[in-house]
Amino acid sequence: MTTRARPAIAAMAYHQGAFVPFAEAGLPLTTQALQYGTGVFEGIRAHTCADGGKLVLFRVRDHYERFLRSCRLLRIETGHTVDELVEITCELLRRNGTTADTYLRPLGYKLALLPGTRPGVGLSGVSDALSITGFPMGAYTPPGGIRCTVSSWVRPRSAAIPIHAKVTGGYVNNALAADEARAAGYDDAILLDDRGRVCEASTANVFAARSGRLLTPPATADLLPGITRDTVLALAADLGIETAEHELDVSDLRCADEVFLTGTGIGITPVNEVSGHPIGAGEPGPIARSLAHHYARTIRGGGDVRHHHWLTSVRIDQG
Ligand code: PMP
């Protein structure tokens, strides 16, 4: 995969109730989320519009609904509604004078023990905090596709760690899998559950196309049912492509005509190879290419009007 140096973080951050210069937004070493992984996060994208100028957030309400669900699970009280979080995000983009594609990272976290709380791991009796950072980010996977390996790390069961929520501590599993894959020369890892069923990639959902039909593991499996996954299912329906939620194992991927990954960060990224086995012709197939084309239009406001409710315009005053 072509890896680019991450661009600089945007100058301003939202940090614990105020917009502050990013460099001043620090956290104490005793931060509970740092010590125990008790934080939750989201990844949201803002894109420049197809017709130029305007900036639009993609499915920002869906992201913040998932964020607040994740927060509830960890007893994190942000003190904000979805509408307020959207407004804070728009204001952050405005304060940064954002005019390019940007990735936003809201983080809700356990901060400090409240008076009278015994030190140790826990969720109650600990204060909560919210910070949002952003940085410019365009496409970072090559349109020509990537190579994946099957991870030796097993995806934990949701009964062990809440996989359906974006809990920071849970991402140790994803980080180990991604690191193992990259150390072996692959771009990403596909993780299986303890019965060998495909769950997801390190930060993306997995789709396989077989005889014109699109398959993806069920949302009830041990995976994060992504917002991009949901978008792809809707776009496939628009294009008349049959879809089904279906358990997949590694041989289903190897025998597929196409495999691709979906996620806010990576968009729709074709997988050309899984652990040394070429997928289809070993290059992006027609279904992935068509969906990627429609997705790219949709996120910039150039898609079907039925999907315009997924977009939130950000008014940026340019002095
Ligand atoms: N699975 C995992 C583990 C992820 O981290 C992500 C990225 N958020 C996804 C799937 C894709 O989710 P989404 O399409 O909502 O970004």
Side-chain angles (χ1 to χ4, degrees), residues 31-303:
T31 300
Q32 292 279 299
L34 181 61
Q35 305 204 3
Y36 301 122
T38 46
V40 303
F41 67 103
E42 266 305 321
I44 305 171
R45 270 187 183 269
H47 301 98
T48 52
C49 244
D51 55 9
K54 222 167 59 184
L55 203 66
V56 282
L57 286 155
F58 186 62
R59 298 193 69 168
V60 63
R61 296 186 59 82
D62 295 312
H63 281 284
Y64 275 126
E65 275 164 17
R66 183 169 71 187
F67 181 67
L68 290 184
R69 280 198 303 275
S70 299
C71 283
R72 268 198 299 279
L73 197 71
L74 260 62
R75 297 184 187 277
I76 294 169
E77 185 46 71
T78 65
H80 291 295
T81 61
V82 166
D83 285 340
E84 288 166 354
L85 291 168
V86 171
E87 187 39 44
I88 291 169
T89 305
C90 289
E91 182 59 20
L92 180 63
L93 289 165
R94 279 194 284 273
R95 296 219 180 191
N96 278 307
T98 314
T99 52
D101 290 359
T102 291
Y103 184 86
L104 293 143
R105 169 52 56 83
L107 181 67
Y109 48 100
K110 287 289 172 191
L111 184 59
L113 296 175
L114 293 172
T117 305
R118 269 202 339 225
V121 70
L123 297 173
S124 298
V126 185
S127 67
D128 306 315
L130 167 72
S131 301
I132 309 176
T133 48
F135 51 89
M137 190 168 84
Y140 63 81
T141 51
I146 61 169
R147 299 167 58 244
C148 287
T149 186
V150 176
S151 185
S152 70
W153 293 98
V154 169
R155 196 84 182 110
R157 293 172 54 216
S158 306
I161 202 154
I163 295 297
H164 289 83
K166 284 182 75 75
V167 176
T168 56
Y171 275 73
V172 164
N173 176 250
N174 313 48
L176 287 167
D179 182 70
E180 178 189 63
R182 285 170 201 150
Y186 290 92
D187 299 308
D188 201 358
I190 291 174
L191 289 110
L192 312 180
D193 66 14
D194 55 7
R195 290 173 52 194
R197 293 172 299 205
V198 171
C199 294
E200 56 190 335
S202 69
T203 52
N205 293 115
V206 179
F207 280 82
R210 201 163 60 200
S211 309
R213 192 160 171 254
L214 208 48
L215 306 171
T216 192
T220 48
D222 295 321
L223 53 84
L224 182 82
I227 290 164
T228 321
R229 173 186 182 277
D230 182 70
T231 304
V232 162
L233 290 172
L235 295 181
D238 292 353
L239 295 169
I241 299 167
E242 194 191 332
T243 59
E245 293 190 317
H246 201 283
E247 282 179 8
L248 299 170
D249 59 27
V250 174
S251 57
D252 290 320
L253 299 184
R254 286 182 180 165
C255 298
D257 303 321
E258 301 183 35
V259 171
F260 58 87
L261 307 183
T262 66
T264 299
I266 70 169
I268 298 174
T269 295
V271 176
N272 297 334
E273 179 194 318
V274 175
S275 298
H277 291 256
I279 305 298
E283 59 185 37
I287 293 184
R289 277 193 276 115
S290 169
L291 284 167
H293 170 76
H294 286 276
Y295 181 74
R297 284 172 54 81
T298 303
I299 57 179
R300 291 180 197 278

